[in-house]
């Protein structure tokens, strides 16, 4: 059975909501207990994509509050706490217990509680004579946010900035690595698997891989470890691969514009925790949820935007036909007399029609939602010429450069300041060698548009220090077929006629190509230098390429340190689907970033190095 992170984490949360009692097959506890749920902001974000209010009701949760809000006592009711193990949360729990806010306290921490905090909890509740109220204390190992079956984020902000900060000392770097390792450990504990770890040599990827290997080894020494239930999994199935990368492995994927539906929605509309808001038809904002419960999003997220517009049109036409069919069956033909002998037949048609109404209504809601989202996207694409940006950026990455006049024309044309800055940075990354005069002209064009150039200067600087930004870029040079403009039927797909369909999916990301090679497990010059860590093997064999790697691997977890995105996620899912037999790849990252959010971290690094022009950073985003 394929690893399904969303399902595993949801099961852990449901067990927690049922006071850590075993849950029956219907997903509820055998004995229903009404309770209160208390969480902090971080744990609210963990719950938000997985559990809805109606699910909370189903599990007996009648009230739910943030821990730092003032709350009134509720007698004779147990409270389930789900919080991070922090000093402030422990103090708040002790205060709540001493005030006897609730009858009993079931404490669930998102990761392992450090011993000093546990001692603070014990002494605090003892001193206030409320220790009898603490019923259970659990380490849940759930400190990550699962957005889709195969997508997770550790929600650790600005990791790229912190790891690359020139002023960061060894202690700060070690703390960041420790946080990342702790988050990854939670993911593996939830999946109950001990993977074989691969990573490139050097940098944060090796630091995380080595520290995670040691943490897993230490943990496996104890008899009752979190992976003992995964023992059967380990013996009967092949273990998964964990591939760890650092954002500098392929910087371009975090900066380029993309024309596929899922990355577009994230980049332009700011999809956060599977939710977004767009202007409604009649003014005001409409909020939508986009997750695995939305069949259109699941099926079409990886399509190019014009194909999505055609798909919306197709589904709308099918819906209209189905509605006409229901009307025809229930209303009879116009002018036809009612035939009493066919009463049974008419009643049957009417019953079928009534039964099909909820399904038709749901389909219409999904179509309306995506029509609305696509309309807003289209407005942005037209206004900012995003299709031109995607095409030219892909061309640059393929050819290793761009004609100077074309380059400057884009920088002086349509698009936001951030679009132009991202384009200029992509130009630096894609160029084999940077022509100083050309780079100066680009910089002058950015300054003329009042754009802060610190991010551009920063990337140029690390490029000149010969840091390989586009790992094995040359290997992925295929020509992108540029389809002629197509005119679709009327309404939304007609308006996309001016937007070119870019077959950019032909170009495989370096990340995807490397993961494919690692999963094959065959000798390959691109990955032969990669390190291997096996926490279950004797220590001496770790860190070196090892012969015990029996490929091909069916399952992989790919983790990007320093910020990931929906472009890489989509690319890896396409890889998994098109393999024979089909494979399963989970993609995770320290945080999911839009191109703009990532470039803002680059800008801050540029400022810290004293680079760039002194334009207010906020102006870059407009």
């Amino acid at each position: 059975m394929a690893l399904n992170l969303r399902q595993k984490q949801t099961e852990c949360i449901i067990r927690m909501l049922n006071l850590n009692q075993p849950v029956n097959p219907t997903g509820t506890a055998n004995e229903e207990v009404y309770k209160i749920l208390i969480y902090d902001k971080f744990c609210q974000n963990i719950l938000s994509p997985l559990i809805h209010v109606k699910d909370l009701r189903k599990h007996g949760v009648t009230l739910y509050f943030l821990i730092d809000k003032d709350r009134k006592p509720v007698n004779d009711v147990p409270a389930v706490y789900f919080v991070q193990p922090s000093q402030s949360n422990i103090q708040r729990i002790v205060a709540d217990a001493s005030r006897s806010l609730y009858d009993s306290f079931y404490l669930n921490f998102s990761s392992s509680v450090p011993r000093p905090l546990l001692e603070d909890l014990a002494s605090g509740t003892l001193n206030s004579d409320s220790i009898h109220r603490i019923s259970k204390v659990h380490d849940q190992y759930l400190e990550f946010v699962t957005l889709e079956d195969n997508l997770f984020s550790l929600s650790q902000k600005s990791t790229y900035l912190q790891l690359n900060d020139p002023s960061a000392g060894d202690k700060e770097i070690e703390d960041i690595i420790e946080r990342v390792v702790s988050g990854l450990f939670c993911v593996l504990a939830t999946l109950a698997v001990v993977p074989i770890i691969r990573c490139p040599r050097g940098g944060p990827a090796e630091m995380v891989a080595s520290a995670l290997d040691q943490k897993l080894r230490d943990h496996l020494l104890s008899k009752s470890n979190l992976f003992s239930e995964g023992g059967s999994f380990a013996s009967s199935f092949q273990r998964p691969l964990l591939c760890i990368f650092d954002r500098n492995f392929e910087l371009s994927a975090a900066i380029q514009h993309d024309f596929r539906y899922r990355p577009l929605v994230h980049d332009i509309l700011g999809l956060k925790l599977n939710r977004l808001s767009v202007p409604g038809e009649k003014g005001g904002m409409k909020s939508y949820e986009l997750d695995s419960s939305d069949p259109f999003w699941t099926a079409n997220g990886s399509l190019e935007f014009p194909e999505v517009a055609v798909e919306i049109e197709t589904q709308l036409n099918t819906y209209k036909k189905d509605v006409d069919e229901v009307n025809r069956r229930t209303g009879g033909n116009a002018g036809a007399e009612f035939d009493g002998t066919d009463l049974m037949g008419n009643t049957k048609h009417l019953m079928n029609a009534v039964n099909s109404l909820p399904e038709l209504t749901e389909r219409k809601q999904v179509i309306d939602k995506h029509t609305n989202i696509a309309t807003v996207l289209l407005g942005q694409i037209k206004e900012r010429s995003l299709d031109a940006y995607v095409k030219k950026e892909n061309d640059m990455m393929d050819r290793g450069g761009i004609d100077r006049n074309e380059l400057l024309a884009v920088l002086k044309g349509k698009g936001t300041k951030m679009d132009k800055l991202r384009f200029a940075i992509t130009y630096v990354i894609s160029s084999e060698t940077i022509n100083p005069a050309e780079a100066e002209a680009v910089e002058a064009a950015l300054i003329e548009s009042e754009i802060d150039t610190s991010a551009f200067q920063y990337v140029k600087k690390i490029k000149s220090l010969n840091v390989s930004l586009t790992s094995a870029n040359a290997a992925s040079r295929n020509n992108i077929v540029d389809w002629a403009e197509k005119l679709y039927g009327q309404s939304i797909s007609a308006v996309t006629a001016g937007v070119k369909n870019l077959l950019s999916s032909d170009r495989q990301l370096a990340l995807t190509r490397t993961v494919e090679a690692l999963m094959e497990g065959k000798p390959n010059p691109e990955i032969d230098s990669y390190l291997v860590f096996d926490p279950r093997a004797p220590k001496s064999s770790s860190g070196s390429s090892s012969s015990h790697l029996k490929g091909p691997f069916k399952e992989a977890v790919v983790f990007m340190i320093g910020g990931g995105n929906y472009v890489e996620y989509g690319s890896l899912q396409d890889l998994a689907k098109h393999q024979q037999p089909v494979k399963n790849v989970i993609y995770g990252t320290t945080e999911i970033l839009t191109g703009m959010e990532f470039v803002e971290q680059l800008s801050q690094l540029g400022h810290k190095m004293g680079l760039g022009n002194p334009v207010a950073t906020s102006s870059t985003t407009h």
Side-chain angles (χ1 to χ4, degrees), residues 116 274-275 359 467 509 543:
N274 294 342
R275 288 185 173 84
E359 188 259 347
V467 176
L509 296 175

Side-chain angles (χ1 to χ4, degrees), residues 501-615:
N501 198 355
L502 314 160
L503 293 183
S504 52
S505 46
D506 295 357
R507 252 187 82 244
Q508 211 180 25
L509 296 175
L511 175 74
T512 310
R513 215 172 44 250
T514 308
V515 169
E516 185 174 16
L518 288 167
M519 287 183 82
E520 272 175 8
K522 293 178 187 158
N524 181 327
E526 248 188 74
I527 56 158
D528 285 346
S529 65
Y530 275 49
L531 298 172
V532 182
F533 295 91
D534 181 356
R536 286 197 188 274
K539 183 75 174 155
S540 57
S541 64
S542 262
S544 57
S545 290
S546 177
S547 58
H548 75 278
L549 269 177
K550 296 184 183 68
F553 288 87
K554 294 191 202 71
E555 310 256 7
V557 178
V558 178
F559 187 75
M560 181 60 76
I561 303 163
N565 49 65
Y566 283 92
V567 177
E568 288 176 334
Y569 169 61
S571 179
L572 288 167
Q573 294 314 302
D574 287 348
L575 166 75
K577 270 195 297 223
H578 295 130
Q579 295 280 317
Q580 283 305 332
V582 171
K583 298 192 173 169
N584 188 47
V585 178
I586 295 173
Y587 174 72
T589 173
T590 43
E591 59 177 330
I592 292 177
L593 296 170
T594 63
M596 180 171 108
E597 288 165 343
F598 182 68
V599 169
E600 280 170 353
Q601 290 192 34
L602 294 177
S603 292
Q604 288 182 53
L605 285 169
H607 285 300
K608 283 174 183 286
M609 290 176 72
L611 303 169
N613 55 318
V615 175

Side-chain angles (χ1 to χ4, degrees), residues 405-455:
N405 294 335
E406 207 177 335
L407 175 69
L408 296 174
V410 172
L411 295 175
K412 289 175 181 169
K414 283 181 175 179
T416 63
K417 292 179 181 184
M418 185 53 84
D419 290 331
K420 292 173 183 179
L421 182 56
R422 285 165 67 180
F423 185 76
I425 295 171
T426 306
Y427 149 74
V428 172
I429 294 170
S430 68
S431 306
E432 301 281 314
T433 52
I434 297 173
N435 173 338
E438 208 168 80
E440 275 175 33
V442 169
E443 212 167 308
L446 291 174
I447 292 168
E448 194 183 318
S449 300
E450 296 181 353
I451 296 169
D452 177 10
T453 61
S454 48

